Amino acid sequence: MQALPSDTDVLIAGAGPSGLALAMELRRRGVSPTIVDRQVAGANTSRACVVHARTLEALEPSGVSQDLLARGVRVPIFRIRDRGHSLITIDFSKIPSPYRFTLMIPQNRVEESLLGHLVALGGNVARPCELLRCEPQASHIQVELRGEGGMQTVKARWLVGCDGMHSRVREQSGITFAGAAYEQTFVLADVRMDWPLSREEVTLFYSPDGLVVVAPLPEDHFRIVATVDEAPESPTARDMQAVLDRRGPTGQPGRIRDVVWSSRFRIHHRVAETPRKGRLLLCGDAAHVHSPAGGQGMNTGIQDSVSLAEALTRTLADGDAARLDAWASERHKVAAAVVAMTDRMTRMATMKSRTGQTLRNIAVAFAGHLPPVRTAIARKLAELDAR
């Protein structure tokens, strides 16, 4: 682990996409933050896999967007199907952005790109280094850290928790994290398979058994996400094939050749009461968690960080923290809207009533014939309304 300063303007806890984006953007603006992470190395699993237009716009000045475009797969279509029948097609090719598509790229590659740009700017991540305690003072926050060399105390003018859903920064601050968990368990797998549909389409399938989402990834991989009542810890090719057979396209459900990586998870819908309390700030999953529906999570977190970097840099220069209150208010509104939208999408996709499913499909198909509705959904999913 690299040596830590005893004093720092900004201490960032957590080196996922939000923490790395914040550290990189601060460096780009002339601020030298300290960023720590309790893991020995960065994530080596793909987890999130969607980068939307607004995030690419936000990362464009740093050069990260160009790097991600070279690594990812551009997908212009999001389609909802009732097995073999298309209900609604959302086309991103006409959204008001230079990036008229969704970019499918695993989270670990996003983190690699962000870290590479951070290092190029002279920064790095201190790891393994775990935040144990933080104690607010009048002019700073005193943070107790534990690394390979033992315990160390760092005085930070500002502490930013980018340390995930179980954020120690948020917990020690006393900021409430209101919400609940969904009943369903989700299974996730990155696979190689023969797939009958286009690789220019992310597909959400409705079925009586539950939802399944299939999305193309680089290197001819596909991401499969589905709800199940009971899931094994590491779903096998047989498990995922059974999901596709019962919920995927009729006649040709696709044939999985092998599983690259798989997992199960429970999802929550929660929003922190506020992303700012004094000199403590929250970004990403520390401030909001929600269903993966629409691929909003990593995007919202990165946008938290890019906007915070601008506000925090100016506050460090002139001491006016009022703009951080404005940032906190705006990002809380964005988070609440994202959580509400993804919750609606998830509850629609997972309803168990056969009558409800039929009415849902009729309503979605009707909306699919209304161009203004399709355009509004495309803008919302691309997060362009959060500009």
Side-chain angles (χ1 to χ4, degrees):
M1 187 189 79
Q2 70 184 65
L4 298 176
S6 57
D7 295 86
T8 185
D9 283 333
V10 182
L11 176 62
I12 303 167
S18 298
L20 290 170
L22 176 59
M24 180 203 66
E25 284 294 312
L26 286 171
R27 277 269 174 184
R28 200 170 67 82
R29 289 169 167 81
V31 177
S32 299
T34 300
I35 177 170
V36 302
D37 194 282
R38 62 184 179 83
Q39 296 188 63
V40 175
N44 57 9
T45 55
S46 58
R47 294 181 287 173
C49 66
V50 183
V51 178
H52 283 301
R54 177 60 191 137
T55 304
L56 291 168
E57 290 177 358
L59 292 173
E60 184 177 280
S62 67
V64 171
S65 293
Q66 290 71 22
D67 192 16
L68 297 181
L69 291 172
R71 296 170 176 236
V73 176
R74 305 178 193 199
V75 180
I77 298 296
F78 171 63
R79 184 169 283 129
I80 299 177
R81 297 175 181 263
D82 176 11
R83 301 218 61 186
H85 304 289
S86 176
L87 299 177
I88 187 170
T89 298
I90 306 302
D91 186 350
F92 293 95
S93 66
K94 296 180 175 61
I95 61 174
S97 171
Y99 306 102
R100 297 175 180 177
F101 46 80
T102 55
L103 185 71
M104 306 306 299
I105 178 170
Q107 177 178 330
N108 59 308
R109 295 193 179 187
V110 175
E111 292 182 5
E112 287 171 3
S113 178
L114 290 167
L115 178 60
H117 282 76
L118 173 62
V119 171
L121 290 166
N124 213 327
V125 180
R127 53 165 97 236
C129 185
E130 182 178 10
L131 184 147
L132 299 178
R133 278 177 290 278
C134 51
E135 183 178 343
Q137 307 288 333
S139 61
H140 65 276
I141 296 181
Q142 190 159 302
V143 184
E144 189 174 325
L145 302 164
R146 179 173 60 200
E148 289 181 321
M151 307 294 293
Q152 183 174 347
T153 298
V154 174
K155 293 185 354 183
R157 290 177 65 186
W158 297 94
L159 171 63
V160 188
C162 299
D163 48 346
M165 186 178 79
H166 302 291
S167 168
R168 186 164 291 173
V169 174
R170 187 194 64 245
E171 290 172 356
Q172 294 202 8
S173 74
I175 296 173
T176 59
F177 202 37
Y182 290 99
E183 295 180 4
Q184 297 87 359
T185 301
F186 282 69
V187 291
L188 178 156
D190 289 350
V191 306
R192 297 182 184 90
M193 69 174 176
D194 300 315
W195 184 238
L197 302 180
S198 170
R199 281 181 59 85
E200 292 193 343
E201 167 182 331
V202 173
T203 311
L204 166 62
F205 293 92
Y206 290 154
S207 84
D209 291 342
L211 71 86
V212 61
V213 177
V214 179
L217 291 178
E219 299 176 358
D220 204 30
H221 293 176
F222 289 86
R223 163 68 54 85
I224 303 174
V225 181
T227 53
V228 295
D229 292 329
E230 295 183 12
E233 184 175 350
S234 298
T236 65
R238 178 177 294 181
D239 296 324
M240 302 309 296
Q241 186 67 56
V243 169
L244 285 184
D245 289 346
R246 292 184 63 86
R247 307 182 193 181
T250 50
Q252 294 180 299
R255 188 58 51 192
I256 296 173
R257 299 195 298 272
D258 64 282
V259 172
V260 178
W261 174 73
S262 69
S263 183
R264 67 179 179 190
F265 59 98
R266 295 288 301 277
I267 59 173
H268 295 243
H269 49 103
R270 301 181 184 275
V271 181
E273 178 186 12
T274 175
R276 182 190 176 198
K277 186 174 182 179
R279 293 181 172 273
L280 184 147
L281 304 141
L282 301 174
C283 288
D285 286 357
H288 43 77
V289 292
H290 47 80
S291 162
Q296 305 290 291
M298 179 169 64
N299 291 273
T300 306
I302 290 174
Q303 292 169 46
D304 288 345
S305 296
V306 173
S307 57
L308 176 59
E310 179 178 359
L312 194 50
T313 299
R314 294 172 63 188
T315 296
L316 286 167
D318 63 17
D320 182 3
R323 62 176 60 89
L324 294 177
D325 289 327
W327 169 86
S329 176
E330 178 60 28
R331 295 314 297 175
H332 184 267
K333 290 177 184 176
V334 169
V338 167
V339 170
M341 178 186 73
T342 57
D343 183 54
R344 288 193 299 270
M345 292 177 67
T346 302
R347 294 188 187 281
M348 283 182 60
T350 58
M351 64 173 56
K352 296 185 180 297
S353 162
R354 292 301 176 91
T355 301
Q357 291 171 357
T358 299
L359 293 174
R360 172 200 64 196
N361 290 1
I362 291 171
V364 172
F366 177 75
H369 288 89
L370 303 174
V373 173
R374 297 197 305 268
T375 299
I377 293 173
R379 283 184 58 94
K380 180 72 72 174
L381 290 175
E383 300 198 351
L384 299 181
D385 291 343
R387 281 174 169 152

